Amino acid sequence: HNLVTLHIIKALIQTCHRDLNIFSKYIVKILNQLLDTRDLEITDLTCETFIIFCNYDDGSTLGVDSELTTDYETLLKKFAGFCNYTNEDSALSLKMRYIGHRAVQAAVTSSALSASDFKTQLGFIFPPLIVTLASSQTTPHKLETSGSIDIRHSAIDNNKVNDQVNELLAAHTISLLFGKVTGPLIRISLTPLFGYLNEKGKWWPPHLAVKIMNLVLDSLQPQYRYLLVSELLNQLETTDNILNDKHASIISVLDMILNADVPLVGISVLEVLNSLFTFLMKTTQTHSFNPYEGCNIQQDSAATTANNNEKSNTGSHTNLIQHKLVHSVGGLASQIYYENQLNDIIGYFVPKLRVNTSLEYVDDMLIYDYRLIVLSCLDQVVLATKKPVVLGNDSESRIPISPNISLDAWAPALGLLHDDNARTRMMFSKCLNRFLQHLPSKIRDDSLRQYAIESSLITWFIMVARFYHIDSLLDYMSSLQEKRNYSAADDLLLTETVNESELQTEDPESFSMHIESKSNNNIWIDRSTVVEMLSKDGNLRDETDTHGLELEAKLFTEWGSNAHLIVRNDQSVRSRLSHESVEPKPRLSSPWELSNIEVSVINDKKDRKNSIRVANLKEALVGQVVTADVDDVDTDSTQSNSISAHSRQPTALSMLKTKTEVNALLTELSLSHVEPSTISLLNPPYKST
């Protein structure tokens, strides 16, 4: 009868799922009663019915109906208890655990999980999953959850049920659980894990904590992953001052997270860096730091578990903690979240080297020992620059970049190269040398740059020669290409459009090697030859530039100077004076001439056209002086013959004085000489002098 009842309930839920809230309360009561029978077949069918119920239940009545809420939580607790079911019959135990994990996963996928009291339901669901993974015999840090098991498969007559299947179900359920949580719920979700590890003393060895936290890291939404680091640092601060197993396990988890190839978008880099370094200095109070120990910290902790198990109760993991903290600093630097991140990290450590200090002790330790710790962290940061770094929130949009550290960031620390302590000098030299080895060669970059500019100029001149039909220029540039071993397939070309697919598939290293092999051919464009060809071509000259002298002067002008402006202005002035000598010269406007209301509009416009503006001020002043000279001569010729030469002498002096004043004014109006730039894009080899 019980089996028939369960089949009826299954059909009812599937048929009337839109009205499930009407009778969901009674379904939960029936399922609770049937679980008490402890009959395997009934329990398995009850689990199957519960899976269908969770698939349709939205949890809207939970929290509203207190009786339903209590019954539902009781049902969850019973199913969760089956996850760690023990019996003398091992086959029965496996099947009952399989049933429990199926039901728990169904509850996690249900909308009712977040609709009601999340914390209470989590307290029933998460601990059995932790126990299952804790009893696992497998030791890898990362569980495979890609091959998930269909929870609709019954436990009856299922020969595939074993411990590995249950472990896989538990891991997949945890992945689904943390894939749904957001924001503040992450801290609540981690509380059962930390509580279990504290209560059961499972912090050491750190395999369990690392394994579960790795699973959580991969399951969380990308924008919430950085909260794991914040919560772990908070656990460090709230733990006892005496270093113990919990410290070692948390640091191991931090090391795993910060060195994983997973972006922690939103993380406060400098705050986390300060917390790591502060805790590192705290560990030196009980154990001195040795930079030459712990070289194998990246290996599995299982290798050190056997040696440390006997000492785990005394909390003697200081050496492991110290070197994992240093390694975590390098992991933090390996992920780039903003442009100047590495410079900021270097800028955090360099002042701590206390290069010019006369102090013998810093933080109650010798200055030399203190510097060794800082230099060890700096060395890890430099090592992080070797790793391929990507920028972005997800795997599809992440862009590979080349992390760069400014040379100026190292300048304040260069004094350590002549420090009194040989160990400090050696450590800093090693770190600096490792950084300098990965700097691009300036000579190599200059040669590549020169070759690229030359190739682009040749291509551009060929385009100009073809467009304006300058055969001599085309022949000259083609001969240069032949001498440079030009190849259209792999050389630099100017194109009107950008082919994104070619840019993505191009191998920069092979391209650089190809260019470098050609850049040794010092074949440059002869500027004089090009200028001569261009200036002789009439298509490129102005109408007034009959002999091409103006174009030639422009082409010989250095890049960045204003010499071509001066040449152009002088020639344009001379040109206008020569062509307009027969026309009336511009004159200074008189305010009273335009005050006559009887002047016509046409005459008014004509006067304004001949008025002086900034552009022709100099020309007008010269014309004004010439006009004054002519007027004085005319006036003198019409005067009476009785006027003597002695009476006309003051007029010549005043005219000379006027010319002197005008010349002084013109001198003040002259443009200042601008020094030409020393940087040239026209003169080979195209570099600063």
Side-chain angles (χ1 to χ4, degrees):
H1 298 292
N2 291 332
L3 296 176
V4 173
T5 302
L6 288 172
H7 283 293
I8 294 174
I9 293 175
K10 282 176 55 180
L12 181 63
I13 294 173
Q14 292 173 335
T15 305
C16 306
H17 57 86
R18 291 186 177 87
D19 302 319
L20 183 59
N21 290 333
I22 298 176
F23 51 89
S24 61
K25 176 179 179 179
Y26 305 102
I27 292 177
V28 173
K29 284 183 176 293
I30 294 172
L31 296 179
N32 261 317
Q33 293 176 2
L34 292 176
L35 285 182
D36 294 334
T37 61
R38 300 296 180 180
D39 182 84
L40 179 60
E41 188 176 359
I42 295 177
T43 303
D44 183 72
L45 188 56
T46 302
C47 175
E48 186 177 342
T49 306
F50 179 72
I51 292 172
I52 297 175
F53 175 80
C54 291
N55 189 34
Y56 293 107
D57 183 32
D58 58 2
S60 58
T61 54
L62 290 176
V64 178
D65 190 335
S66 58
E67 184 179 358
L68 172 61
T69 303
T70 303
D71 291 340
Y72 183 79
E73 291 174 354
T74 303
L75 182 61
L76 279 183
K77 188 176 181 180
K78 290 180 179 179
F79 276 122
F82 292 157
C83 294
N84 308 119
Y85 183 85
T86 57
N87 192 275
E88 295 179 357
D89 187 353
S90 59
L92 176 62
S93 299
L94 282 175
K95 293 182 183 297
M96 292 296 290
R97 293 171 189 171
Y98 177 67
I99 291 172
H101 282 293
R102 290 167 59 206
V104 168
Q105 188 172 122
V108 168
T109 58
S110 173
S111 302
L113 178 64
S114 55
S116 183
D117 189 354
F118 174 79
K119 186 175 181 180
T120 301
Q121 293 188 45
L122 184 70
F124 297 138
I125 293 172
F126 198 14
L129 303 177
I130 299 173
V131 173
T132 300
L133 295 182
S135 60
S136 172
Q137 300 299 323
T138 57
T139 57
H141 288 189
K142 188 171 183 179
L143 291 170
E144 271 306 324
T145 59
S146 57
S148 58
I149 298 174
D150 190 351
I151 59 176
R152 293 173 298 180
H153 292 170
S154 173
I156 306 298
D157 299 329
N158 190 343
N159 298 326
K160 296 182 179 180
V161 176
N162 52 41
D163 290 331
Q164 287 73 24
V165 170
N166 291 332
E167 292 168 9
L168 185 60
L169 278 173
H172 189 59
T173 303
I174 293 176
S175 179
L176 293 173
L177 172 64
F178 281 92
K180 297 180 66 174
V181 296
T182 59
L185 295 180
I186 294 177
R187 171 172 290 186
I188 297 175
S189 302
L190 292 175
T191 302
L193 174 61
F194 295 142
Y196 173 83
L197 296 175
N198 284 326
E199 181 181 351
K200 303 296 183 180
K202 294 289 187 178
W203 286 107
W204 189 263
H207 303 315
L208 178 62
V210 171
K211 182 167 56 176
I212 295 179
M213 292 300 290
N214 199 348
L215 183 61
V216 172
L217 176 66
D218 291 338
S219 304
L220 282 175
Q221 300 177 44
Q223 65 269 30
Y224 301 121
R225 287 171 178 163
Y226 76 96
L227 294 175
L228 287 181
V229 179
S230 301
E231 181 59 24
L232 290 170
L233 291 176
N234 182 61
Q235 289 290 326
L236 280 180
E237 295 174 358
T238 57
T239 309
D240 297 335
N241 293 329
I242 302 175
L243 297 179
N244 51 33
D245 297 346
K246 183 175 181 179
H247 290 104
S249 183
I250 292 177
I251 296 300
S252 298
V253 175
L254 274 173
D255 181 48
M256 177 273 299
I257 293 176
L258 294 176
N259 284 280
D261 188 21
V262 176
L264 304 174
V265 180
I267 190 173
S268 179
V269 176
L270 293 183
E271 289 184 8
V272 174
L273 180 65
N274 184 65
S275 298
L276 294 174
F277 185 77
T278 301
F279 193 79
L280 175 60
M281 298 308 301
K282 182 180 177 181
T283 62
T284 59
Q285 297 176 0
T286 58
H287 188 277
S288 60
F289 179 80
N290 187 347
Y292 304 105
E293 293 180 0
C295 297
N296 298 324
I297 58 172
Q298 299 183 30
Q299 297 179 358
D300 196 320
S301 298
T304 58
T305 301
N307 297 330
N308 293 329
N309 257 343
E310 297 179 357
K311 303 178 182 179
S312 62
N313 295 330
T314 62
S316 165
H317 307 301
T318 311
N319 185 62
L320 177 69
I321 291 174
Q322 289 175 346
H323 289 88
K324 280 191 175 291
L325 282 169
V326 173
H327 192 239
S328 298
V329 170
L332 181 64
S334 65
Q335 294 286 343
I336 305 300
Y337 303 104
Y338 59 94
E339 184 176 0
N340 294 322
Q341 176 180 318
L342 290 177
N343 288 326
D344 290 344
I345 294 177
I346 296 295
Y348 174 85
F349 285 115
V350 168
K352 294 183 179 298
L353 292 172
R354 313 289 181 91
V355 177
N356 298 320
T357 185
S358 59
L359 298 175
E360 295 183 2
Y361 290 88
V362 177
D363 291 349
D364 298 329
M365 63 188 308
L366 287 172
I367 183 66
Y368 306 116
D369 296 334
Y370 183 84
R371 285 172 176 170
L372 286 180
I373 298 175
V374 178
L375 289 173
S376 297
C377 295
L378 272 174
D379 193 51
Q380 287 294 321
V381 174
V382 173
L383 286 173
T385 62
K386 299 180 181 180
K387 302 177 181 178
V389 181
V390 288
L391 185 65
N393 297 349
D394 51 66
S395 57
E396 295 181 357
S397 64
R398 299 171 75 187
I399 305 171
I401 64 173
S402 299
N404 293 319
I405 302 177
S406 173
L407 289 172
D408 296 336
W410 292 88
L414 295 179
L416 292 181
L417 292 174
H418 52 79
D419 190 78
D420 296 337
N421 188 273
R423 197 177 183 186
T424 302
R425 293 197 306 268
M426 182 181 65
M427 192 80 176
F428 179 72
S429 300
K430 177 184 175 182
C431 182
L432 184 61
N433 179 63
R434 184 170 292 170
F435 165 71
L436 294 176
Q437 284 179 350
H438 297 278
L439 286 180
S441 173
K442 187 178 186 302
I443 298 177
R444 178 174 178 268
D445 286 350
D446 283 346
S447 62
L448 294 179
R449 175 178 176 270
Q450 294 163 13
Y451 184 88
I453 294 176
E454 184 81 358
S455 299
S456 301
L457 286 175
I458 291 175
T459 306
W460 183 79
F461 276 125
I462 290 176
M463 295 168 61
V464 171
R466 289 174 178 171
F467 184 82
Y468 289 102
H469 304 288
I470 307 175
D471 296 335
S472 58
L473 181 62
L474 180 60
D475 295 339
Y476 176 66
M477 292 299 164
S478 300
S479 64
L480 289 181
Q481 282 188 339
E482 294 178 0
K483 295 178 181 179
R484 291 161 57 90
N485 300 324
Y486 170 77
S487 174
D490 52 13
D491 211 295
L492 293 173
L493 295 174
L494 291 178
T495 58
E496 297 181 359
T497 58
V498 178
N499 192 334
E500 299 291 345
S501 61
E502 291 183 359
L503 292 178
Q504 294 175 1
T505 57
E506 185 69 39
D507 185 4
E509 187 65 25
S510 62
F511 178 76
S512 299
M513 294 174 59
H514 162 72
I515 297 300
E516 188 174 9
S517 64
K518 292 186 175 185
S519 59
N520 296 326
N521 299 330
N522 296 325
I523 301 174
W524 306 107
I525 301 175
D526 186 0
R527 185 176 183 181
S528 301
T529 304
V530 175
V531 170
E532 182 181 358
M533 294 176 180
L534 293 177
S535 58
K536 286 183 178 180
D537 190 87
N539 295 331
L540 301 179
R541 298 199 300 259
D542 294 336
E543 295 180 359
T544 59
D545 188 15
T546 307
H547 302 288
L549 298 178
E550 183 179 351
L551 177 58
E552 182 179 355
K554 291 179 180 179
L555 293 176
F556 275 114
T557 302
E558 287 295 326
W559 180 269
S561 70
N562 294 326
H564 66 284
L565 297 177
I566 299 174
V567 172
R568 185 187 63 185
N569 290 337
D570 290 343
Q571 293 183 356
S572 62
V573 169
R574 291 196 300 269
S575 176
R576 284 200 304 271
L577 287 175
S578 62
H579 287 283
E580 300 177 2
S581 59
V582 296
E583 298 180 2
K585 297 294 186 295
R587 56 186 178 81
L588 293 171
S589 300
S590 300
W592 53 83
E593 290 180 358
L594 299 178
S595 62
N596 190 353
I597 59 176
E598 297 180 356
V599 178
S600 64
V601 177
I602 299 176
N603 293 334
D604 183 41
K605 292 183 178 180
K606 182 178 180 181
D607 289 340
R608 291 182 180 274
K609 181 177 180 181
N610 293 330
S611 298
I612 304 305
R613 295 185 176 89
V614 177
N616 58 354
L617 176 59
K618 181 176 178 180
E619 178 185 349
L621 290 173
V622 175
Q624 195 83 349
V625 174
V626 175
T627 305
D629 294 344
V630 176
D631 292 342
D632 288 343
V633 173
D634 293 341
T635 304
D636 291 343
S637 63
T638 56
Q639 286 179 345
S640 175
N641 294 330
S642 61
I643 300 177
S644 62
H646 177 73
S647 63
R648 291 196 299 268
Q649 195 172 6
T651 304
L653 292 174
S654 62
M655 189 170 67
L656 179 61
K657 182 179 179 181
T658 302
K659 291 181 179 180
T660 304
E661 293 176 352
V662 171
N663 289 334
L665 176 59
L666 294 179
T667 302
E668 293 296 328
L669 292 175
S670 298
L671 295 175
S672 60
H673 179 66
V674 180
E675 292 294 335
S677 173
T678 60
I679 301 176
S680 175
L681 292 180
L682 299 175
N683 285 336
Y686 314 105
K687 63 181 180 180
S688 301
T689 57

